[in-house]
Amino acid sequence: MTTHKTHESKNTFYFVTFTCYQWLNLIDQSDAYHSFYKWFDYIKLIKVHLIGYVIMPNHFHGIFYITDDCADSINQILANGKRFIAYDIIKGLKKKKKEEVLQYLSREITEKEKSRGKRHKVFKTSSDIKELLNIKMVVTKLEYVHHNPCQGSWKLANQFIDYIHSSASFYEIEIPNEFVTDYRKFY
């Protein structure tokens, strides 16, 4: 499901994915991993619980629990997060003098986007959002998220629990993670 559908349910889990434009490794090229951690700090303030995550070089998977106390929908939370992170990615690309990439991202902006003040195409427009209706779905998605760095051609770590931009070590070997709320708190 994409962000074209507004998801309003509260006191529920959502699995989300958003991807860099054309699957470019923009998060890695700009070293913008820290931007996600700043966003994680912010979402705590608005009563959103991060249940699990992985920050990949070109995409993000997360599981969130949205409480009744949160005024925003998951759609708005993602839109704000993507906007915030996109600014940091562009800033990082400029700092690293990635001129070709910046020019490409600038050329990809549509006229409509330009009219709204957008200067670079950083993320795919839509995000995948799926409500997780039971504990089995939550556990299945957590396993998928945590194993992502070692799937396919990625090989970002020898073992999935060693990948540092993930909540895997929190669940698998109980290493504290200031951003993560254990899903079992809600069952």
Side-chain angles (χ1 to χ4, degrees):
M1 294 181 188
T2 65
T3 55
H4 299 295
K5 177 183 176 193
T6 302
H7 298 270
E8 298 287 348
S9 296
K10 302 292 176 132
N11 291 329
T12 193
F13 296 92
Y14 288 100
F15 171 70
V16 303
T17 299
F18 57 88
T19 306
C20 292
Y21 183 68
Q22 298 293 324
W23 289 89
L24 297 170
N25 288 347
L26 299 176
I27 297 164
D28 192 59
Q29 286 184 53
S30 62
D31 196 22
Y33 297 96
H34 68 282
S35 303
F36 285 86
Y37 298 109
K38 288 193 289 187
W39 179 47
F40 296 166
D41 271 336
Y42 169 74
I43 65 172
K44 278 196 274 187
L45 298 175
I46 62 169
K47 309 294 187 217
V48 173
H49 295 273
L50 178 63
I51 302 303
Y53 68 92
V54 66
I55 310 164
M56 299 291 284
N58 64 5
H59 67 283
F60 169 80
H61 294 298
I63 300 172
F64 297 94
Y65 185 84
I66 310 299
T67 68
D68 270 340
D69 298 329
C70 179
D72 297 332
S73 69
I74 188 67
N75 303 74
Q76 191 61 46
I77 293 161
L78 289 182
N80 291 340
K82 285 168 67 175
R83 187 170 32 258
F84 167 77
I85 294 164
Y87 287 130
D88 273 2
I89 286 174
I90 296 301
K91 188 175 166 183
L93 291 171
K94 287 178 179 177
K95 184 177 178 182
K96 292 178 174 278
K97 300 184 184 337
K98 302 279 188 176
E99 296 304 323
E100 284 183 40
V101 175
L102 288 162
Q103 289 173 11
Y104 174 72
L105 298 175
S106 183
R107 285 192 308 268
E108 294 298 302
I109 296 297
T110 66
E111 289 304 317
K112 185 177 180 181
E113 290 169 327
K114 283 180 189 175
S115 72
R116 292 187 314 220
K118 194 170 184 178
R119 296 183 184 159
H120 299 90
K121 185 87 124 186
V122 176
F123 291 111
K124 289 172 67 176
T125 304
S126 64
S127 301
D128 292 328
I129 302 172
K130 180 176 177 65
E131 187 174 356
L132 304 177
L133 302 172
N134 56 54
I135 193 167
K136 183 178 178 186
M137 291 177 79
V138 172
V139 171
T140 298
K141 289 300 185 185
L142 266 176
E143 288 175 4
Y144 171 77
V145 165
H146 291 156
H147 285 86
N148 204 241
C150 295
Q151 297 297 314
S153 63
W154 283 113
K155 309 297 183 231
L156 297 173
N158 289 328
Q159 295 181 45
F160 73 98
I161 59 171
D162 296 332
Y163 185 63
I164 61 171
H165 300 295
S166 166
S167 57
S169 63
F170 172 80
Y171 284 104
E172 298 295 326
I173 54 176
E174 299 180 5
I175 293 179
N177 185 317
E178 67 183 290
F179 305 109
V180 177
T181 302
D182 193 318
Y183 71 91
R184 293 167 284 214
K185 172 183 176 180
F186 301 100
Y187 283 100

